[in-house]
Amino acid sequence: MKLKKLAVAMTAVMAFGAISVPAAAEEAQVIGISMPTQSLERWNRDGEYLKEQFENAGYTVELKYSDNDSSQQVSDIQNLLADNVDILIIAAVDGEALNTVMDEAAESEIPVIAYDRLIMNDATSYYVSFDNYTVGTLQGEFIVETLDLENAGDATYNMEITAGDPADNNAGYFYQGAMDVLQPYIDAGTLVVVSGQTGFDSVATDQWDTQTALERAQNILGSYYADGTQLDVWLCSNDSTALGVAQGITSDYAGDNTVIITGQDGDVANLANIVDGIQTMTVYKNVSNESIVTLALAEAVLNGETIDASLCDTFEIECAYDTESYETSDGNVCPSFLLVPSVITADNLEELVDTGLYEMGEDGYLTAVE
Ligand code: BGC
């Protein structure tokens, strides 16, 4: 924006024939990106991919990480606005804690794309994410299929549940998607949550923190499974929590090592656990594709184009334009572009290699391509 103002001034000078200005330098638009934290693996990837995509397309990028602290994120975004960014791309630490700064963005007429996590404020222009409810559905269906619950007869299976951060709007969708699949089996007594902890609030994990998930898992294992009770499944909403739960099971559970553990993201440590048979699946979301969709959307917004489903024809990524599922306030729908998640297990790890984003080492473990 600063550059644009300068350009206007220069054009005025040029009209009087005083000097000339190279065109390209005037045009660079600035993309302000605010990511929640570097302590959870995926956001490092998101930040890198977004920066690369936008810079390759000729934009200037300002990228900030907020250390999982929403007041830090407010001040980061205020700094981005003070630097006259042309558009904001925000993955919120807390989707309900950005009202002040969203008002400031609206006053400055800066469009805001909520990235991956919805911001609960009507100044959010668009939302780019994966189909979050489907992430949970895939986890629930995986459990149903792996245990063949439809044909379980009188058999019963013991399960525990670990969900995500209540401040993250996605966490409820993941949980609900899975529970809508699993609840009928809980009601029928086929799945038994031995701890009795099933409500979202009792299974949530602040900040998706691995250590917090580990400690809760240890408490549950100590209280309900130390007597030899068999544990069959631990539904975990994502990989950072699955990592803690897996550590807890390894250290504090004496039963056999066949507990089904779900996850989400394809974090490298969790992929190693999948290879080792410690974690059973992860719901993979290609965040490189998420950054490509975000670039296409941001460009269209900055160019003043009409935004609708036809944007999805401009990239070769499966993505739905959704004007029903996500509301920033009661009745206020946020137009959303939703990508499609997929299930990864030990049997199809090659699919990750095929994305070009992971390499399979000679030791059989995957690493992320730098
Ligand atoms: C993302 C997940 C991620 C979690 C913790 C969620 O908002 O959608 O992919 O596992 O945050 O980082």
Side-chain angles (χ1 to χ4, degrees):
M1 291 281 271
K2 254 184 217 148
L3 287 171
K4 276 191 299 195
K5 281 182 201 142
L6 177 72
V8 173
M10 291 299 204
T11 313
V13 174
M14 282 164 65
F16 291 98
I19 48 172
S20 66
V21 190
E26 302 156 12
E27 302 293 324
Q29 287 177 300
V30 186
I31 314 297
I33 302 177
S34 171
M35 292 283 115
T37 177
Q38 288 189 287
S39 67
L40 295 165
E41 182 179 317
R42 72 156 284 183
W43 305 108
N44 296 283
R45 283 188 266 135
D46 292 88
E48 268 172 43
Y49 293 141
L50 283 166
K51 193 165 185 296
E52 195 185 333
Q53 288 294 336
F54 279 97
E55 285 181 348
N56 288 346
Y59 295 94
T60 300
V61 173
E62 276 199 50
L63 168 63
K64 297 197 185 292
Y65 283 96
S66 306
D67 204 16
N68 253 338
D69 174 346
S70 55
S71 25
Q72 168 75 42
Q73 187 161 43
V74 168
S75 87
D76 283 346
I77 296 169
Q78 281 169 333
N79 287 334
L80 291 171
L81 286 170
D83 287 348
N84 291 311
V85 295
D86 291 276
I87 191 165
L88 282 166
I89 296 167
I90 302 172
V93 172
D94 180 340
E96 300 197 351
L98 295 179
N99 287 328
T100 313
V101 80
M102 290 297 285
D103 291 347
E104 289 168 15
E107 267 165 41
S108 312
E109 296 181 3
I110 301 301
V112 177
I113 297 177
Y115 180 84
D116 201 81
R117 299 172 169 180
L118 190 60
I119 304 167
M120 306 313 281
N121 182 291
D122 295 348
T124 310
S125 322
Y126 297 98
Y127 181 40
V128 176
S129 194
F130 281 78
D131 182 332
N132 296 304
Y133 183 83
T134 297
V135 169
T137 306
L138 291 173
Q139 294 168 336
E141 285 171 350
F142 181 86
I143 291 169
V144 170
E145 280 159 28
T146 309
L147 292 175
D148 194 16
L149 294 184
E150 279 181 50
N151 301 306
D154 291 339
T156 61
Y157 298 95
N158 293 336
M159 176 174 86
E160 296 299 333
I161 303 166
T162 293
D165 184 352
D168 176 351
N169 188 59
N170 289 348
Y173 284 90
F174 303 146
Y175 166 83
Q176 205 53 54
M179 290 307 277
D180 285 350
V181 175
L182 299 174
Q183 192 65 49
Y185 298 98
I186 297 175
D187 293 344
T190 310
L191 282 176
V192 181
V193 181
V194 178
S195 70
Q197 298 173 21
T198 53
F200 178 74
D201 290 343
S202 59
V203 300
T205 312
D206 277 349
Q207 303 203 335
W208 298 94
D209 181 53
T210 299
Q211 182 67 25
T212 306
L214 164 63
E215 284 164 18
R216 180 166 165 270
Q218 286 173 324
N219 282 336
I220 288 176
L221 292 167
S223 307
Y224 302 97
Y225 294 87
D227 60 359
T229 301
Q230 165 85 18
L231 172 65
D232 299 296
V233 190
W234 204 304
L235 169 70
C236 295
S237 283
N238 88 328
D239 280 353
S240 61
T241 53
L243 202 60
V245 166
Q247 281 168 20
I249 290 173
T250 306
S251 64
D252 286 56
Y253 175 63
D256 65 25
N257 196 11
T258 56
V259 184
I260 295 168
I261 304 178
T262 64
Q264 164 186 198
D265 287 333
D267 287 355
V268 167
N270 298 73
L271 295 175
N273 275 354
I274 290 178
V275 171
D276 291 342
I278 296 170
Q279 183 171 325
T280 324
M281 64 90 87
T282 190
V283 176
Y284 179 61
K285 304 191 299 189
N286 184 324
V287 296
S288 172
N289 285 348
E290 197 172 3
S291 74
I292 293 171
V293 173
T294 305
L295 169 66
L297 174 60
E299 284 200 300
V301 171
L302 289 169
N303 294 336
E305 290 164 21
T306 305
I307 309 292
D308 57 26
S310 66
L311 188 77
C312 300
D313 303 333
T314 64
F315 39 75
E316 287 176 8
I317 295 167
E318 205 183 338
C319 178
Y321 179 60
D322 179 309
T323 53
E324 284 170 14
S325 302
Y326 290 95
E327 294 186 346
T328 50
S329 64
D330 246 359
N332 201 323
V333 174
C334 186
S336 307
F337 290 87
L338 302 178
L339 292 87
V340 180
S342 61
V343 171
I344 293 291
T345 67
D347 295 332
N348 66 350
L349 287 167
E350 278 300 324
E351 285 184 20
L352 295 181
V353 178
D354 293 343
T355 65
L357 303 170
Y358 295 85
E359 278 167 351
M360 178 71 79
E362 280 175 12
D363 56 5
Y365 292 105
L366 288 144
T367 49
V369 172
E370 294 300 318

